[in-house]
Amino acid sequence: MRLGFAGYEMDLRRQELRCAGDRVHVEPQVFDLLLHLVRNRDRVVSKDELLDVVWNGRIVSEAALSSRINAARKAIGDDGERQALIKTMHKRGFRFMGEVAEIAAEDAPETPAAAPQQPAPAETSSRPSVVVLPFTNLSAEPDTDYFSYGLTEDVIRLLARHRWMDVMSRHTAAAFRGREVDAREIGAAFGVRYMVHGSVYKHGDRVRLGADLVSCESGRHLWSESYDFPLADVLDVQRAMAEQIAAAIEPEMARLERDAAVRRPPVSLGAWDCYQRGLFHLWGFTKPGLTEAEAMFRRAIELDPGFARAHGGLAYVLLQETVVGDREVRAARLEEALRASRSAVKLDGQDCMNLCVLGRVYAFHHDYDEAIALLEEAVALNPSFAQAHFALGSTKVWSGRAREGIAHVERATQLSPRDPHLSSFYATRAFAHISLDELPEAVESARRATRVPNAKAWPHMMLVSALGLMGRDEEARRALDGLLAKEPGYTLAQAEADTFFCADQSLVARCLDGLRRGGRPREGPPPPRAAAGGWRAPGRGGGGGPSGKAPPPPQCRLKEGGKVRRDRRAR
């Protein structure tokens, strides 16, 4: 293939520039720079992009870039005054302005050079890998190519923040721009397991986007979604769409990796496989599943003590066991979760998942300030990470900042509408609306939570409470049947213990009062609360007292009418 313009030809096979048949001497960097401008002549190419392409992202001076631009202009008979072919776009970059024709090779058809064979991901890393092809611009207006290009870059950038996967750089697939490509060809060329491609269509003040996730091993479509946005602000819409795509693709890739790990025979299990099996069992949120997940995470740590995500996974499953497991061992589980999550962050403090887990552990310990700081850091590292938004929102609800919490939980729901935690998303919103005395909204959120297939007792408890507070007795009794179907013999004492993560005792008392009105009597002694408002877990760097241990939690007792009295033990 050759590219012709203004009497010049660029021979891509021989990497040569010619004029009237004569070879023009250019340095390799200058040829690469010129070729990139010619190939992307339909848009402005930024300085950062040229640095990434020509210098592989290395830091160089502005003078070095200017020198190469001047050399490219000189090689094709242009200069900085005329800028007839290479035009400087003030504060934006450069654009090639000439008419370009693609010229077929005159000699025998050449066998396409094999793409540089990178070691297969399994040989150098056990992590999944993905390449994002440039999104196709289907718009009628030709000047909208910048939009699809920017969207592609944003999707790559957001996916790359998930440190458990390898994401190819933005120029890896540039040669496939505008081509129909078989996913298996992409996989063979770049050694990746997955390919993302999509299209953008802008019409008037609306933008429609389609995105697909494809297996490069089988060529099978694994996930597909379309989005429709108003074009009120192009940059905000572009960012929002990229976050939506990245948030949807990441859990889908994670599910595929978990399924693949489960299908592998046990003899081939490594640390990564154990970790993925742990996630597979974890997301069902059943007691047997959590037990199996815990065993898998412990095995992954045994195989690779430096595997940060395995420590984070163990901390997360221990945290979940405080919710659905035996109430008597909650305190011990929380303390072990704290140790495991600290280990995860110590090993990799830039992994948003590890920060999120440690933040949730602190929240369960009522150290809300530390929890919020960690969770805000996780969101900043990865704005499309729905779990971090949910954890931040629920922490704010528990600490008395319900209105702020609702906004974060709503964002989590937008980013991950099929999340395994979706039932908890809606239940937390119901809890927040009860706090704000917005009972109709609480009922609506709780109903949506109970409709999610993996809903546990907590969403049903919120529904009974909200209906009881509204005096809708008949509906409350029907909702109570749903609660008791999930957990037979459920009592107010158990409900009180199950709100151990919330330090807002007036909110806890209000929910318990709604449950009592909804028909749930108090039976038996209250199970111990694993934590309670007022005491704080050890901070990031040390213990909570002279011994390095947190003080024991207070006991709570329910008085007549659902009021809570707290008797603190002597410290």
Side-chain angles (χ1 to χ4, degrees):
M1 172 66 71
R2 289 176 291 159
L3 300 176
F5 56 87
Y8 290 83
E9 288 183 2
M10 299 190 75
D11 189 323
L12 306 191
R13 182 166 65 90
R14 295 187 174 89
Q15 295 285 290
E16 291 178 352
L17 175 68
R18 300 192 189 94
C19 180
D22 295 329
R23 181 178 176 183
V24 179
H25 174 72
V26 289
E27 295 181 6
Q29 280 186 340
V30 175
F31 184 90
D32 291 345
L33 182 150
L34 179 59
L35 178 60
H36 191 71
L37 290 174
V38 171
R39 277 177 165 168
N40 295 277
R41 56 193 176 275
D42 55 343
R43 62 181 178 85
V44 176
V45 177
S46 69
K47 292 182 179 180
D48 286 342
E49 182 179 337
L50 288 175
L51 294 174
D52 203 7
V53 171
V54 180
W55 285 273
N56 295 318
R58 296 196 306 273
I59 298 175
V60 298
S61 66
E62 287 277 342
L65 176 59
S66 297
S67 172
R68 298 302 187 274
I69 290 289
N70 290 335
R73 282 174 172 151
K74 182 177 180 181
I76 57 177
D78 198 9
D79 58 56
E81 291 294 327
R82 292 185 299 130
Q83 297 188 13
L85 293 175
I86 300 178
K87 185 174 181 63
T88 300
M89 314 300 286
H90 184 57
K91 293 186 177 181
R92 295 175 61 195
F94 306 91
R95 184 171 180 181
F96 190 83
M97 307 301 293
E99 293 291 330
V100 179
E102 295 185 357
I103 306 169
E106 296 174 358
D107 48 10
E110 59 184 83
T111 301
Q117 290 298 310
Q118 302 295 331
E123 297 175 8
T124 57
S125 170
S126 57
R127 300 189 301 179
S129 50
V130 60
V131 63
V132 181
L133 298 188
F135 277 63
T136 304
N137 180 24
L138 303 178
S139 309
E141 304 94 326
D143 63 343
T144 55
D145 279 346
Y146 73 94
F147 187 83
S148 58
Y149 179 83
L151 177 66
T152 307
E153 293 215 346
D154 278 352
V155 171
I156 293 172
R157 176 177 55 81
L158 289 168
L159 281 175
R161 291 185 176 184
H162 293 278
R163 295 164 63 85
W164 62 269
M165 71 172 86
D166 291 325
V167 183
M168 300 296 103
S169 69
R170 59 183 173 176
H171 301 298
T172 300
F176 294 94
R177 181 185 179 94
R179 287 176 50 192
E180 287 289 335
V181 184
D182 188 286
R184 286 164 290 196
E185 179 185 347
I186 294 286
F190 303 123
V192 294
R193 296 188 206 175
Y194 305 103
M195 176 185 80
V196 175
H197 67 91
S199 61
V200 179
Y201 177 71
K202 175 178 174 289
H203 181 68
D205 60 352
R206 304 292 299 180
V207 173
R208 176 168 289 276
L209 172 102
D212 297 272
L213 177 65
V214 184
S215 168
C216 291
E217 295 175 350
S218 65
R220 185 167 59 91
H221 274 69
L222 304 170
W223 171 89
S224 182
E225 192 63 87
S226 61
Y227 304 87
D228 199 335
F229 289 85
L231 192 63
D233 187 313
V234 63
L235 295 179
D236 287 344
V237 170
Q238 178 173 296
R239 188 179 304 110
M241 286 194 296
E243 288 182 5
Q244 291 263 53
I245 294 169
I249 287 172
E250 185 271 339
E252 188 66 19
M253 285 183 62
R255 181 187 64 79
L256 293 165
E257 288 297 315
R258 290 196 300 272
D259 291 349
V262 169
R263 290 193 299 270
R264 294 185 188 113
V267 69
S268 70
L269 288 184
W272 176 257
D273 294 310
C274 288
Y275 172 73
Q276 291 296 336
R277 283 192 175 223
L279 292 180
F280 177 85
H281 292 291
L282 167 63
W283 295 129
F285 298 118
T286 64
K287 288 184 180 181
L290 292 175
T291 300
E292 187 66 25
E294 181 182 341
M296 286 291 101
F297 291 136
R298 292 190 188 278
R299 177 60 177 157
I301 293 171
E302 181 182 337
L303 291 170
D304 184 359
F307 187 6
R309 272 286 178 105
H311 291 272
L314 176 60
Y316 193 81
V317 76
L318 291 169
L319 202 64
Q320 291 303 313
E321 286 175 330
T322 67
V323 178
V324 303
D326 295 335
R327 296 177 177 90
E328 292 75 13
V329 295
R330 275 179 176 162
R333 292 289 189 187
L334 276 178
E335 288 307 312
E336 189 177 3
L338 182 62
R339 292 192 296 271
S341 56
R342 281 175 168 171
S343 296
V345 171
K346 183 177 180 180
L347 288 166
D348 189 350
Q350 292 300 303
D351 189 315
C352 58
M353 181 62 184
N354 294 337
L355 291 171
C356 179
V357 173
L358 181 56
R360 292 206 71 183
V361 173
Y362 275 114
F364 275 45
H365 274 330
H366 292 189
D367 195 343
Y368 295 134
D369 290 342
E370 189 71 12
I372 289 172
L374 285 161
L375 294 168
E376 287 179 341
E377 189 176 346
V379 168
L381 279 171
N382 187 352
S384 65
F385 187 28
Q387 283 297 315
H389 284 282
F390 166 60
L392 180 57
S394 56
T395 301
K396 289 187 174 183
V397 173
W398 303 341
S399 60
R401 298 160 63 178
R403 187 64 68 194
E404 295 176 46
I406 288 174
H408 287 290
V409 176
E410 186 176 53
R411 182 60 178 150
T413 309
Q414 292 171 347
L415 287 171
S416 188
R418 292 176 288 190
D419 199 278
H421 282 86
L422 192 60
S423 178
S424 295
F425 289 5
Y426 290 129
T428 299
R429 283 200 64 165
F431 199 45
H433 286 304
I434 290 175
S435 173
L436 296 168
D437 199 28
E438 297 171 347
L439 298 181
E441 291 84 354
V443 169
E444 174 60 24
S445 293
R447 286 198 193 281
R448 297 183 74 174
T450 61
R451 295 186 189 117
V452 178
N454 67 347
K456 299 296 186 289
W458 168 253
H460 293 272
M461 185 176 75
M462 288 294 99
L463 181 57
V464 176
S465 180
L467 290 169
L469 290 170
M470 293 185 73
R472 292 160 63 172
D473 298 340
E474 183 61 32
E475 292 178 80
R477 282 191 289 272
R478 289 198 298 269
L480 182 58
D481 291 339
L483 170 59
L484 296 178
K486 291 291 182 180
E487 191 160 345
Y490 196 74
T491 67
L492 283 177
Q494 291 172 321
E496 178 185 354
D498 286 348
T499 57
F500 67 93
F501 46 76
C502 182
D504 187 347
Q505 287 304 299
S506 62
L507 175 55
V508 172
R510 182 165 170 76
C511 288
L512 294 175
D513 188 37
L515 276 174
R516 181 184 58 79
R517 296 184 191 185
R520 184 74 315 229
R522 170 161 192 145
E523 299 170 6
R529 287 169 62 93
W535 74 274
R536 299 170 70 85
R540 271 191 190 177
S547 66
K549 296 181 180 179
Q555 297 295 306
C556 300
R557 293 201 299 272
L558 184 68
K559 294 175 64 182
E560 188 67 14
K563 300 297 182 182
V564 173
R565 185 176 72 224
R566 308 174 58 77
D567 296 328
R568 294 190 179 277
R569 296 175 180 174
R571 297 191 177 182

